[in-house]
Amino acid sequence: MNTVFFGNLAVLTLRKPAEAARQLLALKPGREVLWLAFFLAVVLNCLVQLGIELFVSVPDIDAPDSETLTETESIPLVLLKSAGAMMLSIVAFLFVGRLLGGTATFDDMMVLTIWLQFLQIAALLITLVLSITFPFLMLLLLMATAVLSLYITLHFLNEAHQFGSLGKSFAVILLSALVAVPFVLMLTPSGPV
C-alpha cells in the first residue's frame, strides 16, 4: 500500500462509497494498525481544529472591542474530545446497527470510521487553506463536507452491517445520534448552553 493506493481509494470513496467500503473491509488490518491509525486521526484532527481556530478568527460578540478572539481550548482537552467522539461513533454505530439486524464487527466499524475521519481531516485542511484566502467559502465548504460525509456514512454502514438498505443505515445514524447526545453533553465542560 502506498500513497497512490490511498489516493485512488479516496477518489473511489467519493464516487462509489459502497465499493470503497468493500475494499476497506477486505483489508483486515491488525488491531495494532487500527489503534495506531485511530490515534493518528485524533492527533491530526486536533491539529486541524487548532489551525482553524488560529487562522480563522471569529469575533466574540459578548467581548469588548479590544478582545476579538475567543479563547482556544487546551490541546489535551481537544485530543480527549476528539478521541471520545470518534470512539463513541464507532461503538454507537456498531451496537445500534446490531440491534437493527446488522452483522458488523468492532474492527469493521473501526476501519470505516477511521478512513472517513482521515477524509474529513483532508476536507477540513482544504477548507482551512481556502478560507484563509477566501473566507466567504468556509461555511459552504463545511456544509458540503457534512453532506458528503453523511452520504458516505450511509453506504459504509450499509456495507459493514450487510443491511441491503440505506434506510436502515439512516436509522442507525439517527438512533446513534440520540444515544450519543447525553454523552456529548457530559463531555462538554460548561454543559449545554
Side-chain angles (χ1 to χ4, degrees), residues 91-152:
V91 171
F93 287 158
L94 176 66
F95 288 114
V96 172
R98 289 257 184 98
L99 285 174
L100 295 178
T103 59
T105 66
F106 181 76
D107 288 356
D108 292 341
M109 292 313 309
M110 254 188 114
V111 167
L112 296 177
T113 304
I114 291 167
W115 177 247
L116 183 58
Q117 185 68 34
F118 279 121
L119 292 180
Q120 289 173 338
I121 290 165
L124 284 175
L125 192 57
I126 291 167
T127 300
L128 173 61
V129 170
L130 290 176
S131 297
I132 292 170
T133 311
F134 308 105
F136 59 89
L137 287 178
M138 185 173 194
L139 184 60
L140 181 65
L141 292 170
L142 289 174
M143 286 175 51
T145 300
V147 169
L148 196 54
S149 293
L150 176 63
Y151 171 73
I152 293 168

Side-chain angles (χ1 to χ4, degrees), residues 59-70:
D60 188 358
I61 296 171
D62 297 333
D65 292 337
S66 60
E67 298 176 25
T68 57
L69 296 177
T70 58

Side-chain angles (χ1 to χ4, degrees), residues 3-76:
T3 54
V4 174
F5 170 78
F6 288 117
N8 291 338
L9 188 57
V11 171
L12 183 64
T13 303
L14 298 175
R15 295 181 68 210
K16 297 178 180 177
E19 190 175 324
R22 286 190 290 272
Q23 285 189 20
L24 285 162
L25 293 170
L27 290 176
K28 302 263 185 236
R31 271 284 161 93
E32 297 82 16
V33 172
L34 285 175
W35 284 110
L36 184 62
F38 176 87
F39 288 114
L40 179 61
V42 168
V43 170
L44 290 176
N45 188 37
C46 175
L47 291 174
V48 172
Q49 283 184 25
L50 292 173
I52 289 174
E53 286 182 20
L54 290 173
F55 291 112
V56 183
S57 62
V58 178
D60 188 358
I61 296 171
D62 297 333
D65 292 337
S66 60
E67 298 176 25
T68 57
L69 296 177
T70 58
E71 287 185 31
T72 58
E73 292 180 306
S74 69
I75 291 174

